[in-house]
Amino acid sequence: MDNAEKSPDAGERMNAEARAAHSLTYWQLVRLRFRRNTYGMAGLAGCLFIILTAVFAEFLAPYESHKSNRSLLYTPPQWIKFYDSENGLQRPFVYGFMEEMDPNTFEIIFESDPEKKSTVRFFVEGSEWSLLGLTFNTHLFGTDEGSTIHILGTDNLGRDVFSRMVIGTRISLLMGLIVMATALVIGTIVGITAGFFGGFYDLVVQRVVEFFKAFPDLPLYLALTAILPRRADAVLIFVMFAGILVLLRWADLSREVRGKVISMRRLEYVRAAEAVGASNGRILFRHVVPNISSHLIVWATYQLPEVILLESFLSFLGVGIQPPLVSWGAMLNQILDFQSFSAAPWMMAPVGMIIVSVMAFNAFGDGLRDAMDPYSNA
């Protein structure tokens, strides 16, 4: 009897939800479905973390990326502590190091020195940095005057690894965004026009796409980056390097977009628009482009981590970002040999940022794909 009484309420509730869903637009439904996707929301949080780190990199970094200290070469990470055996629980602090030489291996050993104790302070004054034309000199954390803090150690030139890794986020992410956005624009324009107009233009475009796709990616990237002028300005090399990465990224997208546009031209609403005399521009921007926008958005979220990985790999080989610019791959280039890795394994810290960024953008892309798929169970 109770089930019989509850069933009408349940049916009315389901009907109300169905009516509410029908009243929502496509993008409102996508947003609603994406919010229910835990994996996608976690990816979005990771993406926001990477983006905010890049924007406020110089605020988060206690030192400049090029600032070196010759007396602190290859120093290990200083772990932040909250407890001292003498004073008990107190404000966060770090210990300095004293150097000793192993009498057997003649290697330098770093031991914590309680006499070199430094209190960690937040919102400290330091080197100047600018954002949106405004100049600041406040950093998130630091230590007392005259002492240093290196939570991820230092490199072979005494530069703070944490500061370089945080500031390198800006260059790596900027490279990914520039390459992704440029390839997206070129691939979309070429694919839409080739699929919509067809004919001789489509024939020529497809031969050009096949020409670019005929080359193996990695050897061609290495060959092209090898001809970059090493003595040129670092910013010029950055722009040229981005252009090389764009060179082969747009071809696949243009082929995918062309196929989707060809299939859409046979749909009834496109034929109806043509029958009533709609112009090609109106058909493209009112009917074709909105219906492939979901594919373009998902493609962009997958392409960005691929570009970050590719840039890191080429910079690791020494043919990508050049000093004084710093990126994750350029930092890893300092530990090409096993001897450097064994001396300072903490210099592998940028690998963690690469993994986080790739997983975050891939999770965000998976969530978007499920939210935009009308046949998904999300």
Side-chain angles (χ1 to χ4, degrees):
M1 191 68 180
D2 293 339
N3 293 336
E5 293 178 354
K6 292 180 180 179
S7 57
D9 296 337
E12 292 179 1
R13 189 163 53 249
M14 293 177 62
N15 291 333
E17 293 177 356
R19 288 193 298 269
H22 282 300
S23 64
L24 298 176
T25 64
Y26 170 73
W27 291 108
Q28 288 175 332
L29 286 172
V30 169
R31 184 165 61 250
L32 180 62
R33 289 162 61 87
F34 182 78
R35 289 177 178 175
R36 296 174 180 174
N37 191 317
T38 305
Y39 184 61
M41 291 298 293
L44 176 60
C47 294
L48 292 177
F49 166 75
I50 296 296
I51 294 172
L52 292 177
T53 300
V55 173
F56 299 101
E58 293 172 320
F59 168 71
L60 299 174
Y63 308 107
E64 298 175 332
S65 61
H66 60 273
K67 182 179 181 180
S68 61
N69 189 339
R70 299 290 180 174
S71 62
L72 297 174
L73 306 182
Y74 287 130
T75 56
Q78 295 175 282
W79 303 112
I80 298 179
K81 302 178 182 295
F82 296 88
Y83 181 81
D84 190 325
S85 57
E86 296 181 358
N87 303 316
L89 189 65
Q90 53 186 301
R91 295 186 59 175
F93 64 92
V94 294
Y95 286 139
F97 294 101
M98 55 181 178
E99 299 182 11
E100 297 181 354
M101 179 176 290
D102 191 321
N104 297 322
T105 62
F106 300 102
E107 294 182 355
I108 300 298
I109 301 176
F110 294 92
E111 298 289 343
S112 295
D113 187 359
E115 299 296 329
K116 300 179 180 179
K117 180 180 177 180
S118 302
T119 302
V120 178
R121 303 188 182 279
F122 294 95
F123 303 104
V124 299
E125 302 298 318
S127 58
E128 290 188 355
W129 54 277
S130 60
L131 179 65
L132 300 177
L134 302 177
T135 302
F136 306 90
N137 58 5
T138 303
H139 297 259
L140 178 61
F141 67 95
T143 55
D144 300 324
E145 186 68 25
S147 59
T148 59
I149 177 173
H150 303 290
I151 60 176
L152 290 180
T154 61
D155 62 7
N156 56 335
L157 297 179
R159 298 172 297 191
D160 183 53
V161 173
F162 177 78
S163 299
R164 287 173 59 80
M165 182 184 70
V166 171
I167 296 175
T169 305
R170 178 177 298 173
I171 300 298
S172 295
L173 184 61
L174 182 62
M175 175 65 73
L177 290 174
I178 290 176
V179 174
M180 179 270 294
T182 307
L184 179 67
V185 172
I186 296 175
T188 302
I189 294 175
V190 173
I192 289 178
T193 54
F196 187 80
F197 295 106
F200 180 75
Y201 173 75
D202 181 38
L203 179 65
V204 173
V205 168
Q206 295 314 303
R207 300 296 79 77
V208 173
V209 171
E210 291 172 0
F211 173 78
F212 280 102
K213 291 180 63 64
F215 294 96
D217 290 354
L218 184 57
L220 183 59
Y221 283 136
L222 295 177
L224 292 175
T225 52
I227 65 176
L228 288 177
R230 297 302 171 193
R231 296 184 180 180
D233 183 71
V235 177
L236 177 61
I237 295 179
F238 175 88
V239 174
M240 296 177 66
F241 183 50
I244 291 173
L245 296 183
V246 171
L247 190 62
L248 296 180
R249 311 306 293 186
W250 63 271
D252 288 329
L253 177 62
S254 67
R255 183 67 63 85
E256 296 172 8
V257 171
R258 172 182 174 270
K260 287 185 172 293
V261 173
I262 290 176
S263 63
M264 286 182 184
R265 289 196 63 184
R266 303 188 182 98
L267 297 179
E268 294 181 357
Y269 64 87
V270 176
R271 292 183 177 275
E274 293 176 347
V276 298
S279 63
N280 290 334
R282 181 178 178 83
I283 295 174
L284 284 174
F285 293 104
R286 293 295 298 273
H287 300 290
V288 176
V289 174
N291 282 281
I292 65 172
S293 59
S294 59
H295 178 81
L296 298 178
I297 293 173
V298 173
W299 180 89
T301 58
Y302 282 114
Q303 193 68 19
L304 184 57
E306 288 186 10
V307 175
I308 292 176
L309 275 176
L310 182 59
E311 180 276 323
S312 300
F313 173 68
L314 294 177
S315 297
F316 168 72
L317 296 180
V319 294
I321 302 299
Q322 301 297 317
L325 298 180
V326 56
S327 69
W328 296 332
M331 292 182 63
L332 295 176
N333 178 257
Q334 298 175 325
I335 48 174
L336 283 172
D337 57 284
F338 180 77
Q339 184 176 1
S340 300
F341 173 74
S342 61
W346 51 85
M347 291 175 61
M348 289 285 291
V351 173
M353 291 296 290
I354 294 174
I355 293 174
V356 170
S357 63
V358 171
M359 292 184 64
F361 283 106
N362 281 334
F364 180 52
D366 284 341
L368 277 180
R369 182 195 60 194
D370 293 340
M372 292 178 175
D373 184 5
Y375 300 104
S376 173
N377 295 323

